[in-house]
Amino acid sequence: MNIIHCDESYAQAWDEYLSHHEQASFYHLFGWKRVNEASFGHQTFYLAAVDEGRIRGVFPLVSLKSRIFGNILCSLPFVNYGGPCADEAEIEQLLLNEAGAIVERHRFDYLEIRSQRKLGGDLPTSEHKVSITLTLDKNPDTLWNAFKTGHRNNIRRAYKRGLSVRSGGIELLDTFYDILSESWRNLGTPLYQKEYFECLMKTFPQETRIFVLDHDGVPVSSALNGHFHGVVEGMWLGALPKAREVESSYVLYWEMMKDACERGFQLYHLGRSTVDSGGEAFKKKWNTYPTQLYWQYIVQSGRPIPQLNVGNPKFQLAMSVWRMLPLPLTRVIGPVVAKGIP
C-alpha cells in the first residue's frame, strides 16, 4: 500500500473511486482541487492510498494562511465537511499518518478535519456543529402531508405575499452573488469573490443549481446547492432584509425540496448548524434530523488545539465593524479576508 500525492492525471480514477464509496460526498470530488487552486491560489494535498494500481482511499487537504487563523491545513475549508474516505480503518489511518507528516513537514499550525463521523485514534474533537438532513420522497406530497398543520399554514401564508422561485445554472450567478454579498455583509462576514462561485459552477455544471426567490418580481433571496450520490447539499444561502419580512425561507426551502424530490434525490442536507441555534430550530420544522459533525484536529508537536469561537468578543467586534462598512467596500476587501477564513 502506497500513499501518493495526486495530480490531475488521477482525477478520473479519484472520482470513479468516490462514485462507489458510501462515505463520499460532493465536497470530496477532485474538481474542488482545481477550484481552490484557481480561485484562491491555495496549495492542496490530495492524498490517495493505492494498492496494485487501484485506489483504496482518498483524503483531500487544502492549506490556508491567515493572520487571524494562522497557517493551517483543512479538509475541507469553506464547505460543510470533508475528511478521508477509505475501504478499511487501517487504510484510513495510513492517510491520517501522512496528513500528520505534512503538518510537521510544512510546519502548519494544525489540520482541521471536518468529518461526518468520528475518526479512529484519539484526535482532539469539537462537536459544536450538526448537519441537518431531510429524507426525500419521489412524491413531494408525501413530505407535505407529513408536516405539522401550523408549518403548512406558514408556507401557504408566505406564498400569498407575492413570492415565487426560479432555478437554473450560471446564468443566475450575478443575481445570486448580489444577494449573498449584501446578506453576508449584514451578518458581519466577509465573502469570497464572485469568480470563486463562477469557477465552481463551471467545474461542476451538472452538479450545481441556483435558486432565486422573487418578491413581486424582485429578487430577495437565493441559494446555491450541490448534487452527488443522490444527495442534495445546501451550500450557500443569502437573504435581503425584505426576504425576512415576508418569511421567504418557507417558500424557498419548500421549492428546493420539491425540486429535489421530483429529480429523484434521496437525501437533502440543509447545511450545517450550530447546536441549539435558531438555524437548527428552523430546519427541524421540516421533519429533518440532526447528524453530529466531528471537527477533529492534528496539531504540531507541543501546540494546543485551536479555540475558535464566533462568540469570542474579538470576533464579535470585528463582525460589528464589518456590518457598518459600505457594501462596495466589502466587495473589494472581503475576498482578500475571506480566502483565509476556513
Side-chain angles (χ1 to χ4, degrees):
M1 186 75 63
N2 295 317
I3 304 299
I4 64 172
H5 291 231
C6 295
D7 58 20
E8 191 68 31
S9 66
Y10 285 89
Q12 183 175 347
W14 178 290
D15 286 350
E16 175 64 21
Y17 173 76
L18 293 175
S19 69
H20 301 291
H21 200 291
E22 63 179 9
Q23 295 168 2
S25 74
F26 175 57
Y27 307 118
H28 286 94
L29 292 173
F30 197 87
W32 286 93
K33 182 179 193 297
R34 307 176 202 125
V35 171
N36 280 294
E37 290 175 347
S39 300
F40 303 118
H42 291 326
Q43 184 179 12
T44 63
F45 303 85
Y46 269 52
L47 309 180
V50 178
D51 185 24
E52 297 182 351
R54 185 166 65 93
I55 291 181
R56 299 285 307 281
V58 299
F59 193 5
L61 305 167
V62 178
S63 70
L64 303 86
K65 290 184 179 180
S66 165
R67 290 185 178 181
I68 300 175
F69 296 95
N71 182 25
I72 70 172
L73 201 57
C74 187
S75 183
L76 281 162
F78 316 128
V79 297
N80 294 324
Y81 35 80
C85 291
D87 292 348
E88 301 170 4
E90 292 79 6
I91 299 174
E92 178 181 282
Q93 190 58 52
L94 291 174
L95 291 165
L96 289 169
N97 291 345
E98 176 61 17
I102 292 172
V103 170
E104 295 292 337
R105 188 159 59 244
H106 292 266
R107 301 190 62 79
F108 289 111
D109 298 330
Y110 60 87
L111 161 61
E112 179 179 81
I113 307 168
R114 300 177 175 182
S115 180
Q116 293 178 282
R117 56 192 176 80
K118 200 163 188 178
L119 304 175
D122 191 24
L123 298 176
T125 303
S126 172
E127 300 181 8
H128 66 297
K129 296 289 185 180
V130 293
S131 176
I132 307 297
T133 303
L134 172 68
T135 300
L136 301 171
D137 190 277
K138 291 182 180 179
N139 184 355
D141 288 343
T142 302
L143 268 63
W144 178 264
N145 294 331
F147 295 151
K148 292 181 179 179
T149 301
H151 187 58
R152 291 197 297 266
N153 288 339
N154 286 337
I155 299 171
R156 292 189 185 103
R157 184 173 63 248
Y159 270 113
K160 294 177 181 178
R161 292 170 172 155
L163 304 182
S164 60
V165 175
R166 50 199 164 102
S167 64
I170 200 168
E171 73 278 2
L172 296 176
L173 178 59
D174 287 347
T175 300
F176 164 78
Y177 190 78
D178 286 345
I179 293 173
L180 197 67
S181 58
E182 183 172 346
S183 176
W184 279 37
R185 190 282 308 270
N186 294 343
L187 293 172
T189 305
L191 181 64
Y192 330 110
Q193 74 270 33
K194 184 168 67 175
E195 288 74 16
Y196 168 64
F197 299 104
E198 181 179 6
C199 183
L200 175 65
M201 298 198 74
K202 287 182 176 179
T203 302
F204 300 108
Q206 303 303 318
E207 294 86 4
T208 52
R209 192 171 185 85
I210 289 176
F211 291 80
V212 175
L213 181 139
D214 298 317
H215 174 248
D216 291 336
V218 178
V220 296
S221 183
S222 187
L224 196 163
N225 295 341
H227 311 92
F228 179 72
H229 251 193
V231 178
V232 179
E233 295 285 354
M235 297 190 291
W236 293 282
L237 188 150
L240 303 182
K242 185 63 179 181
R244 295 183 176 88
E245 291 177 18
V246 296
E247 298 183 301
S248 68
S249 292
Y250 285 105
V251 172
L252 180 58
Y253 272 97
W254 175 235
E255 289 290 340
M256 291 192 295
M257 290 172 186
K258 283 201 302 179
D259 177 82
C261 289
E262 292 165 353
R263 295 172 64 198
F265 293 97
Q266 290 85 52
L267 295 175
Y268 192 149
H269 291 162
L270 277 66
R272 70 174 186 257
S273 297
T274 301
V275 175
D276 296 327
S277 66
E280 181 187 17
F282 175 78
K283 292 172 183 177
K284 283 183 176 179
K285 293 181 179 182
W286 302 89
N287 291 335
T288 59
Y289 59 90
T291 301
Q292 183 66 56
L293 295 178
Y294 301 93
W295 289 19
Q296 298 184 261
Y297 297 90
I298 295 176
V299 299
Q300 260 198 60
S301 300
R303 287 182 177 267
I305 64 171
Q307 300 293 329
L308 304 176
N309 184 352
V310 294
N312 186 313
K314 178 176 63 176
F315 293 148
Q316 287 295 314
L317 176 60
M319 293 168 69
S320 297
V321 171
W322 195 265
R323 293 187 190 102
M324 295 186 291
L325 295 178
L327 184 59
L329 180 60
T330 63
R331 287 190 174 185
V332 173
I333 64 177
V336 178
V337 178
K339 73 175 185 179
I341 302 177

